[in-house]
Amino acid sequence: MTAVTAMESNGLQVIVPPGTLEHTHGNDNTTNVEKNVAAAKPEAEENGHLKTEILNRLDRARILANDDKLLLAANLLHGIDEKHLQTIHHDILKEAAIFNIILEDSTTSLDGNNDGGGWMKQGDHTGRHSFSMYYKLKDNQLYCRLETVVHSNLLVPILSVLNESELYQTWLPNYNVPRIKVVKSEKLHQSGRCGQVVNVETEVPWPLAKRQVILKAVACDNIDSYPEEEDSVKSNECLGKDGGKILIRISSMDCQDNLEEGLNIPPVEKGVARMKVKGGFTLRKCPSNNPLLETTMRYDVTAASRDPSSAAAAAEDLVLFTFSFCVDPQLAVIPKVFVNFFLRTAMGQMWNMFLNVAEDIKDGKRPDHSKAIEEKREVLYDW
C-alpha cells in the first residue's frame, strides 16, 4: 500500500506523494523564489539608476531656476512623471509656459497683418531710436506691441531702467493737458535677482478715478542655448531652444494673489481703479529681415558722417527690443480719443523717454542708475 503524506492547506486536505516535500527543498531546485530574485536584481538596479537621474534633474532644474534660467530648467523637467515634482518644479513649468507665449507673441511678424488677428499699424517713428507700434482692441482691452533696434551697449542700461523700479518717478513722463501724473512708484516685494512686485499710481483727469496697477515682474535668462539632449531628457520643442534672449514678463496682481505670493495687497481704496495688465519685454539679436534694421543702419551711417567716433558703435551687434502688452483700463467703453492719445502721444513719448534714459545711463548722466548698476553688477548686471 502506497504511503501518503497529508497536509492541510486553507482548510482542505491535500495529498502529496512522498518525497515531494523533500525534493522541493533539495539543492537541484534553485527554486522560483531565487530565480525571481536574480531576475529582479538588474531591474532594481535600473530603477535605482533612473531614480537617481530624476533626482539629479530635479535638483539641477531648481538651481537653474534660482539663476533665472527658467526655460532651461523647464527643459530638464520635461518628461518627468508629475508624481516626482514638487511645488517649485510646478512653478518652473508654469512660468516657462508663460514665457513661451511671450516669445511667440514677440517673434510673430505683424507686418501685412499676416497673423489675421486684427492688428493695425499705428506707424513707424524714425530718429535716434526708430520704432514701430502696432495695436488692436478686443473685448474692451487694448493690445499694443512696440519694437525698436538698439545697439548692444544699451543692453545693461535698458535692464537697469526696467529693474530699478524705485526710480520710475524720475523719468516717467507727466502731462498737464490732459493731466496724467505718476504720483507713486514703490517696490512691495523682491524675489531672486530681479523678480519684484511694484505698485504704481497715476492721477488722471476728472471725472476718472486715480489709476493704480500692482505689477509682478519675472525675468528669464535665455542667453544659453539648450545642451544636446540627454538620453533621459525627452525632446522638448521650444522657441527659446536656440538661446540668445533675455525675457521679462509682467502681470497685474490683486488681493486674491496674496496667498500665492506671500504679500498683503489691501483692497482697492475708494476713488481708485485698479487696472489689469499683462505682457512682456524681449531682447534678442535683431533678425536680418527685420524692417527696422535698414532704418537703424542708415541712421548710424548718417550719424557716423557727422561724428566719426560713433562709427565703432555702428559696427556693434544690433538687438531687437520688443514690448508686447494688454491693458484693461477699467472703462465701460474705451473712447477713441483715449486710444488716440494713448498710442500717438503717451505711449510713443514714454517709449522714447525710456530709450533716452537708457542712453543717459550709458553716458553716465544718471548717477542713481549708475550707482545701482555698480552695486548689483556681480549678481545682476554682469553681461
Side-chain angles (χ1 to χ4, degrees), residues 240-260:
K241 199 165 187 175
D242 55 349
K245 303 176 187 69
I246 296 174
L247 312 168
I248 300 170
R249 72 118 172 145
I250 59 172
S251 59
S252 54
M253 304 178 66
D254 215 324
C255 302
Q256 67 267 22
D257 301 302
N258 277 335
L259 184 61
E260 179 183 348

Side-chain angles (χ1 to χ4, degrees), residues 17 26 54 59 61 82 98 107 119 145 178 185 211 219 237 241 258 308 331 336 353 371:
I54 289 174
D59 194 47
E82 193 170 315
I98 296 173
T107 55
W119 287 94
R145 176 168 141 185
S185 174
R211 260 44 187 177
E237 291 302 321
K241 199 165 187 175
N258 277 335
L331 296 170
K336 189 173 182 179
M353 180 70 77
K371 181 182 177 182

Side-chain angles (χ1 to χ4, degrees), residues 128-193:
R128 185 183 187 187
H129 301 116
S130 299
F131 65 90
S132 297
M133 187 187 305
Y134 306 84
Y135 75 97
K136 67 178 178 179
L137 291 171
K138 182 180 178 182
D139 300 329
N140 217 38
Q141 297 183 74
L142 177 61
Y143 293 76
C144 187
R145 176 168 141 185
L146 298 101
E147 55 183 33
T148 190
V149 176
V150 298
H151 292 288
S152 58
N153 59 3
L154 272 188
L155 177 58
V156 168
I158 284 174
L159 292 176
S160 171
V161 180
L162 289 172
N163 188 64
E164 304 306 327
S165 54
E166 287 122 326
L167 299 176
Y168 285 174
Q169 277 184 274
T170 66
W171 64 268
L172 282 173
N174 297 312
Y175 302 94
N176 292 322
V177 181
R179 179 172 172 77
I180 298 178
K181 182 180 181 180
V182 176
V183 294
K184 180 183 286 188
S185 174
E186 59 178 343
K187 185 191 296 185
L188 303 180
H189 181 67
Q190 177 83 34
S191 59
R193 292 191 302 168

Side-chain angles (χ1 to χ4, degrees), residues 53 55-65 73 76 227 230:
E53 176 58 31
L55 290 174
N56 285 338
R57 285 166 57 190
L58 293 174
D59 194 47
R60 285 159 58 198
R62 178 185 56 79
I63 293 171
L64 286 169
L76 275 176
E230 302 173 16

